[in-house]
């Protein structure tokens, strides 16, 4: 594991500390993805198997993506604003900063002891016990290891949740982070009852018609760099309205343009009411899109990152184009 300034405890230390408490609130980042939700639910099941109480919170009141509603335990998710408890312990999963906890930051403040389990490398600490492994393909891997450290026998529900966490954060095991460790963990999860075909069908083969309508508009606007080494496209507020799409319908769009041959990076911009949300992906190991995202006010992982841009769509397109031009040029220069 890479050494990070945020890590001050091992998973064994965290397991030992978790066992000392009886009531927990668990939460991840705003706009939770498969890794976030799967990790939270897996940990909740593990803690409950030890006789603990674990409430799983959402950072905002927004509904979770429809393609993740099949996750075991998804029905138990509670918006943090509706949670009035004062848990002994608060566990932040897949979230590096208090700001990203949004509404749940108040719950975190009420807890007696705080934990962080994450793989985002940021120079901040927000908990008493922190375990951050940027080399982990997904927090779902860390949660799988933590379940073992807790001495819990993995159940099918835990395996499914951790598998979906890993599958989604590796882009169906296609991203650069799909390493030996990821496949080894996936094998263990499948052995414990996770079904790759069922998980894939639920997440990737259950698109709405609105999603396809949104994709058609996005494809009509593709912009490829003069160098041919990055691609960018966007969808507008009007596109959402006219197609009947919601945010979840746009999540898969980045995968469509990322598949373009010859490119190094890809970006999708989604215009929402007052901001532009961007998703960016890398297809080469030595271009860190998290750095590009940070230059635009966001963050993420080396191969997959995101950002929120406050300004016009035209300004966002210009800023992202310049940032990708710079990253591609630096990469080509290093290889020359």
């Amino acid at each position: 594991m890479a050494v990070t300034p945020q890590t001050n405890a091992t998973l064994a230390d965290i397991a030992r500390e978790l066992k000392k408490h009886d009531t927990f609130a668990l939460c991840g980042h705003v706009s939770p993805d498969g890794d976030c939700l799967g990790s939270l639910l897996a940990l909740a099941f593990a803690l409950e198997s030890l006789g603990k109480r674990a409430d799983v919170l959402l950072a905002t009141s927004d509904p979770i993506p429809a393609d993740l509603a099949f996750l075991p335990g998804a029905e138990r998710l509670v918006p943090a604003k509706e949670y009035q408890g004062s848990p002994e312990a608060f566990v932040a999963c897949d979230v590096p900063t208090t700001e990203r906890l949004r509404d749940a930051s108040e719950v975190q403040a009420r807890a007696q002891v705080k934990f962080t389990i994450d793989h985002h490398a940021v120079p901040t600490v927000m908990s008493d016990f922190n375990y951050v492994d940027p080399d982990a393909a997904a927090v779902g891997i860390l949660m799988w290891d933590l379940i073992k450290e807790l001495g819990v026998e993995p159940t099918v529900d835990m395996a499914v949740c951790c598998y979906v966490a890993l599958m989604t954060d590796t882009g169906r095991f296609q991203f650069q982070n799909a390493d030996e460790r990821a496949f080894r963990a996936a094998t263990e999860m499948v052995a414990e009852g996770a079904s790759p075909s069922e998980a894939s069908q639920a997440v990737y083969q259950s698109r709405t018609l609105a999603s396809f309508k949104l994709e058609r508009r996005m494809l009509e606007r593709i912009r490829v760099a003069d160098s041919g080494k990055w691609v960018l496209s966007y969808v507008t507020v009007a596109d959402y309205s006219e197609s009947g799409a919601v945010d979840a319908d746009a999540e898969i769009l980045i995968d469509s343009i990322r598949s373009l041959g010859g490119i190094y990076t890809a970006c999708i911009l989604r215009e929402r009411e007052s901001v532009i949300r961007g998703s960016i992906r890398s297809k080469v190991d030595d271009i860190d899109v998290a750095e590009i995202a940070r230059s635009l006010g966001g963050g993420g992982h080396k191969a997959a990152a995101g950002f929120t841009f406050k300004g016009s769509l035209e300004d966002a397109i210009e800023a992202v184009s310049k940032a990708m031009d710079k990253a591609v040029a630096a990469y080509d220069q290093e290889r020359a």
Side-chain angles (χ1 to χ4, degrees), residues 53-289:
R53 172 170 178 162
D55 294 304
V56 189
L57 310 182
L58 294 171
T60 70
S61 298
D62 295 334
I64 66 170
D67 57 6
L68 295 173
F70 79 99
L71 282 170
E75 72 284 348
R76 63 187 291 170
L77 295 163
V78 177
K81 275 191 174 180
E82 299 177 13
Y83 178 75
Q84 301 301 317
S86 295
E88 292 178 26
F90 184 96
V91 185
C93 297
D94 197 33
V95 56
T97 63
T98 302
E99 291 74 21
R100 294 280 286 165
L101 282 171
R102 197 73 62 84
D103 298 342
S105 61
E106 295 181 9
V107 181
Q108 183 195 40
R110 296 198 297 267
Q112 299 170 23
V113 61
K114 305 168 182 64
F115 299 85
T116 290
I117 303 167
D118 196 13
H119 65 159
H120 294 91
V122 296
T124 57
V125 173
M126 66 171 177
S127 298
D128 304 301
F129 297 93
N130 300 273
Y131 183 83
V132 181
D133 181 1
D135 291 335
V139 174
I141 288 182
L142 306 182
M143 211 54 69
W144 189 249
D145 291 341
L146 179 59
I147 288 170
K148 299 174 191 175
E149 293 288 354
L150 287 168
V152 171
E153 189 68 30
T155 63
V156 173
D157 285 346
M158 294 177 206
V160 170
C161 288
C162 287
Y163 182 85
V164 170
L166 180 54
M167 176 186 72
T168 53
D169 245 30
T170 56
R172 291 176 261 189
F173 300 94
Q174 296 179 92
F175 294 164
Q176 295 93 313
N177 60 353
D179 54 15
E180 179 184 355
R181 179 183 178 191
F183 280 101
R184 187 166 57 245
T187 298
E188 294 177 6
M189 297 166 193
V190 172
E192 295 296 341
S195 169
S197 62
E198 290 179 8
S200 179
Q201 182 172 333
V203 177
Y204 299 114
Q205 300 171 41
S206 300
R207 292 180 64 183
T208 65
L209 181 58
S211 176
F212 283 101
K213 291 180 179 179
L214 204 61
E215 181 173 11
R216 181 180 63 188
R217 300 190 179 205
M218 179 273 297
L219 291 173
E220 292 172 348
R221 302 186 180 119
I222 280 183
R223 301 187 182 193
V224 180
D226 291 339
S227 65
K229 294 176 181 177
W230 60 253
V231 61
L232 179 151
S233 193
Y234 61 92
V235 289
T236 68
V237 171
D239 293 334
Y240 280 95
S241 177
E242 292 168 11
S243 66
V246 296
D247 277 337
D249 293 318
E251 291 298 325
I252 201 168
L253 300 185
I254 187 66
D255 292 333
S256 295
I257 63 170
R258 184 183 181 273
S259 63
L260 183 65
I263 64 164
Y264 296 171
T265 62
C267 181
I268 285 289
L269 298 175
R270 293 169 288 164
E271 184 185 37
R272 302 310 278 144
E273 301 306 323
S274 58
V275 297
I276 310 296
R277 302 198 185 280
S279 297
I280 186 165
R281 300 289 184 268
S282 175
K283 291 182 72 172
V284 294
D285 288 333
D286 293 327
I287 293 184
D288 184 349
V289 293

Side-chain angles (χ1 to χ4, degrees), residues 27 36 182 221 301 325:
C27 192
C36 180
R221 302 186 180 119
H301 313 297
D325 271 336

